[in-house]
């Protein structure tokens, strides 16, 4: 006889099979608490099933009687054949390798115990043991044994925790941290008032309950938190202290809060009987840390952005040419460019002289960009704008507490320019008492911050600029002679615009292009008449004044025509196409007369502004010049600035 099961229909009529089953299996089959199947190995058919088997597999009895055994075990035919062959050969056999599929599709963990039924045809009786149910029974059996044999021990543990709570009642009530105890079964034994306030539960609602399932059941991201993973319970499993800094507890109202906690095991006569948990609410601390982290990320993003912008601007400067901003074809400009080419590769100190507005800073930048220090910064210091008492701090820096208002350390301009270039604009304004310290830095490359004894070394190239006659200042005792010679290693004169009039058309066109970009237009053009008028003006404000005139003309333009407005001067604008008679030609002014006119004009502006030079409504804004330029002219013309008290000025106006 071929004993192997084959997936085929039974050769016996269904009625005879059912009647045979009912006759052969009897009351024991029907009344057994264990699931049982009768199997025909020849036809791979389930001949019958009792009610426990139906409940376990999820099918009714009639459905099982019509099923193939292999259909209950999809994909497991080889294992099914091996098992039935073993039962047929040995008479009895068992296996846990076969995994039947529940009617819902769920896999079942079971053990089959097979026995060969006597008679012909061959039939097998399979007893089904639910392993999950067996494990539950084992646990219940162990618990029952524990309860029967350990009541006294459990009561002793309970007394121990009551003693702990009673003896430490004052501490528990006074503590600001939440404190609660759990026994070895995870049940809460006591809860202090701080824990009640933070958790929102009353002590009587928690004592005797599984506190993990009430306050610690879920992670912050919503994932379930199984009790066997909980470090609190781990303390009485492994006997070690567990400290956690980044988890959440859940309040009674269902809201989480961030906590730090420590779970410390409690020993009684050498055995771990539970744990005491101390926790604190760190939500505010975490929020502050998150804000700090976000701020630091923002600072880092800004730093990276500034680095990229700096790299872009540096590249843009290099692409625009070696001598950015120096425009002109005159012999004077070509001479300046040649001097820049010669001095730039060296570290020699350069003194740029010339009237205000002639572009002394552009020359300094051109020297820096053409030097080997171009990758480092060019730091500009306007010496005319620094209060006398802050000169030393501005140049050399200070340490915290060096003087009133020095709330933190400050880096001076020399340190900022280390490895690069320091441009000292209006160098003639440096107070005499500081000129010696500046000389020392230039000669030795060393200085001390204000309030600090430590000597610092720097590698700085200095380019100075002035509109003063420093030789005359030396003769008058207002400027140190040794400092003058130290600065004047390579002198470069920035020529006045009236001495290179042939460059005016190029400069005017350059400034007009800039004005067109600002105003987002491209239709404004210079006419020949405009150029002639510009070239006839003497430009006391030099290139800066020319730029202001062109920008103002672009703003005032109507119908595409520039409206160039020039101040009255010794060479008022004239049209060469219309000859000027001797009677209409304006009178020429001597240098002394021009200075007197400028002096009177500045005094009038100061009186109108009540002596105010800088800021909105100041004389510099009224005269349309830079405040530093006006301050230099005031000193050069020896004008005394006087301001009336506000109350007195108000009475005079009222009168």
């Amino acid at each position: 006889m071929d004993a192997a099961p084959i997936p085929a229909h039974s050769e016996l009529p269904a009625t005879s099979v059912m009647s045979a089953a009912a006759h052969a299996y009897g009351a024991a089959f029907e009344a057994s608490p264990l699931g049982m199947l009768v199997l025909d190995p020849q036809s791979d058919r389930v001949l019958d099933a009792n009610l426990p088997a139906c409940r376990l597999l999820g099918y009714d009895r009639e459905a099982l009687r019509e099923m193939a055994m292999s259909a209950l075990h999809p994909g497991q035919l080889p294992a099914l054949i091996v098992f039935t062959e073993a039962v047929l050969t040995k008479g009895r056999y068992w296996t846990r390798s076969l995994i039947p599929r529940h009617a819902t599709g769920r896999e079942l963990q079971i053990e089959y115990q097979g026995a060969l039924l006597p008679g012909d045809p061959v039939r097998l009786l399979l007893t089904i043991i639910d392993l999950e149910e067996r494990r539950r029974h084992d646990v219940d059996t162990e618990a029952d044994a524990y309860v029967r044999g350990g009541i006294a021990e459990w009561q002793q543990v309970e007394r121990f925790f009551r003693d702990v709570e009673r003896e430490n009642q004052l501490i528990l009530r006074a503590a600001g941290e939440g404190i609660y105890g759990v026994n070895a079964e995870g049940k809460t034994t006591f809860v202090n008032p701080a824990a009640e306030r933070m958790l929102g539960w009353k002590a009587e609602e928690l004592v005797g309950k599984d506190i993990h399932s009430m306050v610690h059941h879920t992670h912050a991201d919503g994932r379930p938190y199984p009790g066997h993973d909980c470090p609190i319970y781990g303390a009485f499993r492994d006997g070690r202290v567990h400290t956690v800094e980044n988890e959440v507890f859940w309040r009674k109202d269902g809201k989480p809060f961030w906590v730090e906690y420590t779970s410390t095991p409690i020993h009684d006569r050498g055995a771990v009987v539970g744990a005491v948990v101390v926790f604190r609410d760190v939500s505010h601390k975490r929020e502050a840390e998150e804000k700090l982290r976000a701020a630091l990320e923002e600072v880092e993003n800004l730093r990276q952005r500034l680095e990229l912008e700096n790299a872009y601007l540096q590249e843009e400067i290099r692409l625009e040419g070696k001598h950015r901003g120096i425009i002109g074809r005159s012999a004077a400009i070509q001479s300046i460019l040649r001097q820049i080419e010669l001095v730039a590769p060296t570290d020699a100190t350069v003194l740029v002289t010339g009237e205000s507005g002639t572009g002394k800073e552009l020359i300094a930048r051109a020297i820096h960009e053409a030097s080997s220090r171009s990758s480092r910064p060019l730091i500009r210091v306007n010496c005319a704008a620094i209060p006398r008492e802050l000169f030393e701090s501005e140049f050399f820096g200070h340490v915290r507490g060096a003087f009133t208002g020095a709330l933190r350390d400050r880096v001076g301009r020399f340190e900022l320019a280390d490895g690069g270039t320091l441009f000292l604009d209006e160098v003639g304004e440096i107070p005499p008492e500081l000129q010696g310290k500046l000389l020392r830095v230039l000669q030795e490359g060393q200085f001390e911050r204000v309030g600090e004894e430590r000597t610092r070394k720097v590698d700085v190239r200095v380019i100075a600029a002035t509109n003063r006659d420093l030789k005359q200042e030396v003769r008058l005792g207002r400027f140190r002679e040794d400092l003058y010679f130290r600065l004047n290693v390579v002198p470069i004169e920035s020529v006045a615009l009236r001495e290179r009039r042939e460059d005016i058309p190029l400069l005017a066109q350059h400034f007009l292009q800039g004005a067109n970009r600002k105003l987002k237009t491209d239709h404004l053009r210079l006419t020949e008449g405009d150029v002639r008028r510009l070239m006839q003006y003497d430009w006391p404000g030099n290139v800066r004044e020319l730029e202001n005139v062109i920008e103002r003309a672009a703003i005032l333009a109507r119908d595409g025509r520039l409206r160039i407005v020039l101040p009255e001067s010794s060479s008022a604008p004239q049209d060469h196409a219309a000859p000027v008679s001797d009677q209409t030609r304006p009178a020429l002014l001597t240098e002394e007369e021009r200075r007197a006119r400028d002096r009177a004009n500045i005094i009038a502006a100061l009186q109108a502004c009540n002596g105010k030079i800088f800021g909105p409504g100041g004389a510099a804004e009224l005269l349309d010049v830079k405040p530093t330029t006006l301050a230099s002219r005031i000193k050069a013309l020896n004008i005394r600035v006087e301001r009336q008290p506000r109350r007195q000025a108000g009475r005079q106006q009222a009168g």
Side-chain angles (χ1 to χ4, degrees):
M1 180 189 302
D2 188 358
I6 56 174
H9 294 290
S10 173
E11 297 177 358
L12 295 174
T15 55
S16 63
V17 171
M18 291 177 62
S19 60
H23 175 74
Y25 315 139
F29 178 80
E30 298 294 341
S32 173
L34 299 176
M36 289 186 178
L37 297 175
V38 178
L39 172 66
D40 179 5
Q42 293 286 344
S43 61
D44 184 29
R45 294 297 299 275
V46 176
L47 300 179
D48 203 356
N50 66 357
L51 290 179
C54 293
R55 285 195 296 268
L56 179 62
L57 297 173
Y59 295 95
D60 60 37
R61 194 166 189 172
E62 292 303 321
L64 280 173
R65 287 172 175 172
E66 296 177 358
M67 290 184 66
M69 187 65 175
S70 58
L72 283 172
H73 305 80
Q76 303 174 64
L77 185 57
L80 185 59
I81 293 173
V82 171
F83 173 62
T84 56
E85 284 287 351
V87 177
L88 290 170
T89 303
K90 298 182 178 182
R92 289 183 177 276
Y93 198 69
W94 67 274
T95 183
R96 292 184 180 180
S97 61
L98 289 171
I99 303 175
R101 194 70 60 88
H102 190 271
T104 60
R106 176 170 53 90
E107 292 182 344
L108 301 173
Q109 299 295 321
I110 60 95
E111 176 183 305
Y112 281 130
Q113 294 183 358
L116 181 61
L117 292 177
D120 188 22
V122 175
R123 297 179 302 280
L124 303 181
L125 178 64
L126 302 185
T127 302
I128 310 172
I129 298 174
D130 186 350
L131 297 179
E132 288 292 333
E133 183 69 20
R134 172 169 286 184
R135 275 193 286 270
R136 286 194 293 271
H137 289 171
D138 291 343
V139 170
D140 291 343
T141 301
E142 291 178 3
D144 185 59
Y146 174 79
V147 170
R148 289 198 311 270
I151 290 293
E153 183 177 350
W154 178 81
Q155 291 174 340
Q156 184 177 354
V157 170
E158 287 297 301
R159 285 196 299 273
F160 176 82
F161 273 101
R162 284 198 299 270
D163 292 342
V164 169
E165 183 180 12
R166 184 174 57 255
E167 292 173 5
N168 297 279
Q169 194 62 238
L170 291 177
I171 297 175
L172 292 174
R173 290 189 176 279
E177 291 87 358
I179 304 174
Y180 65 87
V182 289
N183 61 22
E185 296 177 345
K187 300 296 190 292
T188 312
T189 57
F190 64 85
V191 180
N192 80 331
E196 289 181 308
R197 288 193 298 272
M198 284 186 270
L199 296 173
W201 298 86
K202 295 294 184 182
E204 54 269 22
E205 296 177 291
L206 294 173
V207 171
K209 305 289 182 58
D210 177 11
I211 196 168
H212 177 85
S213 63
M214 300 178 74
V215 304
H216 203 199
H217 46 76
T218 307
H219 288 283
D221 59 5
R223 290 181 295 113
Y225 202 151
H228 58 75
D229 294 339
C230 178
I232 294 174
Y233 291 174
F236 51 78
R237 285 198 300 266
D238 57 26
R240 296 199 305 267
V241 175
H242 289 252
T243 300
V244 178
E245 298 181 352
N246 197 27
E247 286 187 358
V248 296
F249 281 178
W250 296 82
R251 295 187 176 92
K252 184 178 181 180
D253 60 8
K255 296 179 181 179
F257 63 101
W258 290 94
V259 294
E260 295 176 353
Y261 64 82
T262 300
S263 178
T264 304
I266 299 297
H267 296 82
D268 181 30
R269 294 180 297 177
V272 177
V273 296
V276 170
V277 181
V278 179
F279 68 94
R280 62 181 60 88
D281 185 345
V282 294
S283 300
H284 293 301
K285 174 185 175 183
R286 184 179 174 86
E287 183 180 351
E289 290 175 349
E290 289 295 332
K291 289 182 179 179
L292 177 60
R293 187 179 298 108
L296 291 175
E297 288 178 359
E298 184 177 356
V299 169
E300 177 62 18
N301 291 336
L302 289 173
R303 184 189 66 80
Q304 294 177 1
R305 177 181 172 185
L306 289 174
E307 286 181 353
L308 292 174
E309 289 177 352
N310 181 60
Y312 169 80
L313 292 174
Q314 293 291 339
E315 183 64 20
E316 185 181 42
I317 289 171
R318 293 185 179 90
L319 289 175
E320 288 189 10
K322 292 184 294 183
H323 308 310
R324 176 179 179 266
I326 300 180
I327 298 171
R329 299 195 185 99
S330 64
I333 287 296
Q334 296 307 312
S335 174
I336 290 174
L337 294 179
R338 285 193 296 271
Q339 292 179 78
I340 290 174
E341 293 288 350
L342 288 173
V343 75
T346 72
D347 280 341
T349 305
V350 179
L351 179 62
V352 185
T353 58
E355 298 178 10
S356 294
T358 55
K360 296 186 289 296
E361 183 175 349
L362 292 179
I363 295 174
R365 291 190 178 278
I367 294 172
H368 173 74
E369 288 299 324
S371 73
S372 60
R373 298 173 178 263
S374 58
S375 62
R376 298 294 296 159
L378 170 69
I379 302 298
R380 178 180 180 271
V381 183
N382 185 353
C383 302
I386 303 175
R388 178 183 294 264
E389 63 274 10
L390 296 180
F391 253 101
E392 191 171 1
S393 172
E394 191 73 24
F395 271 57
F396 309 122
H398 63 253
V399 296
R400 179 180 178 182
F403 50 84
T404 303
L407 302 179
R408 60 179 182 271
D409 291 358
R410 178 179 178 178
V411 177
R413 298 301 179 92
F414 269 93
E415 281 188 79
L416 287 176
D418 190 19
T421 305
L422 184 66
F423 175 52
L424 302 178
D425 196 11
E426 306 291 357
V427 71
E429 306 298 327
I430 297 178
E433 62 270 17
L434 267 181
Q435 293 175 12
K437 293 188 176 183
L438 176 61
L439 179 64
R440 179 199 172 197
V441 180
L442 295 179
Q443 290 177 339
E444 303 175 7
Q446 296 180 347
F447 69 95
E448 292 86 29
R449 287 183 181 178
V450 178
E452 185 180 55
E453 296 181 358
R454 172 188 168 190
T455 299
R456 299 173 182 265
K457 293 185 68 68
V458 288
D459 174 23
V460 175
R461 180 188 192 163
V462 172
I463 301 176
T466 183
N467 59 4
R468 288 191 177 193
D469 184 352
L470 288 188
K471 289 183 180 179
Q472 178 67 16
E473 295 295 306
V474 170
R475 285 194 292 271
L476 294 175
R478 293 198 290 255
F479 202 84
R480 290 181 60 128
E481 185 176 28
D482 48 3
L483 178 58
Y484 168 71
F485 288 127
R486 187 66 183 80
L487 294 173
N488 196 37
V489 176
V490 179
I492 297 179
E493 183 181 1
S494 183
V495 181
L497 185 57
R498 60 183 171 274
E499 297 177 15
R500 54 182 183 104
R501 294 179 185 272
E502 61 268 41
D503 291 334
I504 291 177
L506 287 174
L507 288 165
Q509 184 60 36
H510 173 74
F511 294 141
L512 182 58
Q513 290 174 354
N516 278 331
R517 285 195 297 271
K518 284 184 180 180
L519 300 174
K520 298 181 180 179
T521 182
D522 58 359
H523 64 275
L524 299 178
R525 299 286 186 274
L526 286 165
T527 66
E528 291 186 12
D530 293 334
V531 173
R532 283 196 298 270
R533 293 183 65 200
L534 294 174
M535 293 185 68
Q536 290 172 11
Y537 183 59
D538 63 358
W539 301 108
N542 291 293
V543 179
R544 187 182 296 119
E545 185 182 10
L546 173 60
E547 181 178 10
N548 293 339
V549 166
I550 295 298
E551 185 173 355
R552 184 163 57 245
I555 294 172
L556 299 176
R558 294 293 182 271
D559 300 325
R561 292 183 59 85
L562 295 172
R563 295 184 60 186
I564 296 178
V565 180
L566 295 173
E568 295 181 2
S569 69
S570 59
S571 32
Q574 298 292 336
D575 190 343
H576 287 305
V580 181
S581 64
D582 292 340
Q583 287 78 11
T584 60
R585 186 184 305 278
L588 298 177
L589 300 178
T590 65
E591 177 64 19
E592 184 176 350
E593 290 171 335
R594 186 184 68 80
R595 286 172 61 87
R597 181 204 62 187
D598 291 346
R599 192 173 191 277
N601 193 40
I602 292 173
I603 291 174
L606 289 171
Q607 289 175 345
C609 300
N610 191 27
K612 181 180 179 181
I613 298 175
F614 299 85
E621 182 183 79
L622 193 63
L623 295 173
D624 195 20
V625 296
K626 293 181 68 173
T628 54
T629 300
L630 179 59
S632 298
R633 290 181 183 176
I634 289 173
K635 290 187 177 182
L637 296 172
N638 197 25
I639 297 173
R640 184 177 179 183
V641 180
E642 295 182 353
R643 299 190 66 175
Q644 297 180 353
R646 292 183 181 272
R647 188 177 300 172
Q648 181 180 352
R651 284 200 300 268
Q652 290 178 354
Q653 290 174 4

